[in-house]
Amino acid sequence: MRAARLIKMVLLLQSRPTMTASELARELEVSERTVTRDAQALSEAGVPVYAERGRAGGYRLVGGYRTRLTGLGRDEAEALFLSGVPGALREMGLEDIASAARLKVSAALLPSLRDAPRTAAQRFHLDAPAWFREPAAPALLPAIADAVWDDRCLSARYRRGESEVVRELEPYGLVLKAGVWYLCARVCAAGTEAKRTAAKEAGAKGAGAEAFRTYRIDRFVGADVMEDRFSRDEGFDLPGFWGEQAERFARSILRAEVVLRLSATGVRNLPYAVDPVAARDALAGGAEPDATGWATVTLRVESEEVAHTQLAALGPEAEVLFPATLRERFAADARRLTELYGRREG
């Protein structure tokens, strides 16, 4: 533990001209007294750490000293590619690994380039969770993340409706969507007859994409990382799989149809009012605009109630032609609006 801290201290001093004791203590998560002892230990070991006293003082390396302890380990290199999503790293328990990797990269850079990480962070930040939702990392996420990184089978219990289901999974990848964590995995097909039956139920036949399923991690009630490792299907494409799953899910819940007339403004605004996949399909299959500039399209929607709420955002730029019940809803809305705005204050 102390050896790792000493190495981190050297890398910090190598990446910055001078650091105060309080800055080092904050970065290393120790007291200033421990920083003083560590600096003395480094000096005794031959690392030229120089302490400058006074208000403008601090610690620095002298004589152009450069450590060779900058090689990235596999876990650090993998975590470095996730450095743009600090919240996700923290929730998966990889924050310290990523921090060490960034320090090693900074230490290896030329002095003129050492401010590159800071200037990049000032210009780009990814905030994954959705608005108006308090992000909460599932308690089992770090254990599941460990299984994903180590290609270890996972014995999992998760909620399905009112019951709990037990599965042994091959955890392939994690996805963070609008603040919600998902696991992409397939059921272990090898082993007991019970395992083979579970795999068959989950559709795990062969190594194709159809063998994989998506699980919401906040529905897991138990997750034990097993000793057994699984052989990863190198043909599995996590971004591609997730994209297909997301589009398939969006289409699966669109069980009703609405026929609309849309103005040119309505055509432009439709993707912002309804599901983008549904809007894309509707506009692609719609007729050309008529002489008045209005186009007729067939839109798939989740339900008439949902369509009523969504299409209200288009206001007078959309006219419902079918179903008649939805058209009557909007006619009733129009009558109420006319009555409301037609009133004159006496």
Side-chain angles (χ1 to χ4, degrees):
M1 182 69 178
R2 190 189 185 199
R5 189 175 72 242
L6 293 175
I7 292 172
K8 185 174 182 179
M9 184 174 180
V10 173
L11 292 172
L12 282 168
L13 293 174
Q14 186 170 311
S15 62
R16 308 180 197 179
T18 303
M19 294 187 69
T20 65
S22 62
E23 289 172 336
L24 283 167
R26 185 169 58 253
E27 291 280 356
L28 299 173
E29 298 181 347
V30 295
S31 66
E32 292 187 24
R33 180 173 297 181
T34 299
V35 168
T36 301
R37 288 198 297 264
D38 286 351
Q40 184 177 352
L42 286 171
S43 181
E44 292 172 354
V47 178
V49 178
Y50 179 72
E52 294 178 323
R53 302 191 181 280
R55 289 186 60 185
Y59 293 91
R60 63 184 178 89
L61 294 174
V62 296
Y65 179 84
R66 311 247 334 146
T67 177
R68 297 184 180 275
L69 297 173
T70 54
L72 291 178
R74 167 171 285 276
D75 55 350
E76 293 170 334
E78 290 170 338
L80 188 61
F81 283 99
L82 294 173
S83 292
V85 280
L89 282 168
R90 182 171 55 254
E91 292 175 5
M92 288 189 291
L94 299 173
E95 188 174 29
D96 290 342
I97 293 174
S99 175
R102 287 193 296 269
L103 277 173
K104 289 183 177 182
V105 171
S106 296
L109 291 173
L110 293 172
S112 60
L113 300 177
R114 285 185 192 153
D115 66 340
R118 180 181 60 82
T119 56
Q122 289 174 339
R123 288 163 174 80
F124 177 76
H125 174 70
L126 176 62
D127 185 9
W131 286 105
F132 311 118
R133 176 183 294 167
E134 189 68 28
L140 295 173
L141 178 61
I144 295 172
D146 284 345
V148 170
W149 288 113
D150 291 343
D151 293 341
R152 291 188 182 275
C153 292
L154 188 71
S155 178
R157 290 185 296 114
Y158 65 94
R159 296 189 303 275
R160 177 186 285 176
E162 299 298 321
S163 61
E164 288 187 7
V165 179
V166 179
R167 291 286 184 267
E168 288 187 3
L169 301 174
E170 296 177 354
Y172 266 67
L174 294 168
V175 174
L176 178 60
K177 170 70 172 179
V180 180
W181 283 95
Y182 296 87
L183 173 68
C184 298
R186 64 181 177 187
V187 176
C188 298
T192 65
E193 183 62 31
K195 293 179 186 177
R196 286 192 290 272
T197 300
K200 184 176 181 181
E201 290 175 356
K205 302 173 183 177
E210 69 277 2
F212 294 89
R213 294 292 180 269
T214 302
Y215 304 85
R216 274 188 63 144
I217 293 180
D218 58 8
R219 293 178 183 165
F220 280 69
V221 294
D224 297 317
V225 181
M226 304 168 66
E227 290 298 321
D228 296 338
R229 281 191 165 88
F230 62 91
S231 298
R232 180 174 286 268
D233 178 3
E234 296 302 328
F236 177 72
D237 174 23
L238 179 59
F241 170 77
W242 177 258
E244 292 174 1
Q245 287 287 102
E247 187 162 325
R248 187 180 300 121
F249 172 75
R251 286 199 169 98
S252 71
I253 63 174
L254 304 177
R255 302 184 181 92
E257 287 189 349
V258 173
V259 180
L260 300 171
R261 287 181 72 239
L262 296 170
S263 69
T265 301
V267 168
R268 287 196 302 272
N269 291 343
L270 185 66
Y272 303 103
V274 302
D275 179 83
V277 173
R280 186 178 69 220
D281 291 348
L283 296 175
E288 291 295 321
D290 59 21
T292 63
W294 285 63
T296 300
V297 302
T298 299
L299 175 72
R300 293 189 63 79
V301 295
E302 187 174 345
S303 67
E304 184 174 314
E305 290 74 17
V306 172
H308 180 233
T309 301
Q310 293 176 329
L311 296 175
L314 297 177
E317 308 302 331
E319 177 190 1
V320 175
L321 303 179
F322 176 85
T325 50
L326 182 58
R327 180 179 175 87
E328 178 53 35
R329 285 191 186 213
F330 280 105
D333 289 345
R335 289 192 293 268
R336 291 178 61 195
L337 285 170
T338 299
E339 180 183 353
L340 182 65
Y341 285 99
R343 296 172 183 167
R344 292 179 179 271
E345 294 186 4

